[in-house]
Amino acid sequence: MQHDLQLRAAARVIYDNVYPPAYPAPFSFDEAERFGTVEYRQAVGVAQDARSDLAAQHDQLLFAAIL
């Protein structure tokens, strides 16, 4: 995911919020990315879902503005 910096940043924020320092994940985000852990893949999936939802909302707002 090195080529999609926005998606990677979103996944990092999600990962860091799901696994805060008080309840750390077994790996740092960078290690989880390198090893492709389940936690990393879940964070990426949530980031992709969020991006899709935000894009759909943006499209709806554009459509509403046209009407």
Side-chain angles (χ1 to χ4, degrees):
M1 187 173 28
Q2 301 285 345
H3 60 281
D4 192 338
L5 298 178
Q6 287 182 329
L7 185 62
R8 184 176 189 274
R12 179 185 287 273
V13 168
I14 292 164
Y15 188 90
D16 290 344
N17 277 280
V18 171
Y19 304 106
Y23 304 101
F27 300 103
S28 70
F29 178 82
D30 293 327
E31 292 170 328
E33 181 180 34
R34 188 173 340 123
F35 298 130
T37 66
V38 171
E39 295 86 357
Y40 169 78
R41 292 192 311 269
Q42 289 172 334
V44 170
V46 172
Q48 290 171 329
D49 290 347
R51 180 169 61 181
S52 294
D53 287 345
L54 291 171
Q57 289 176 13
H58 181 262
D59 291 345
Q60 289 175 358
L61 289 174
L62 286 176
F63 182 71
I66 293 171
L67 297 177

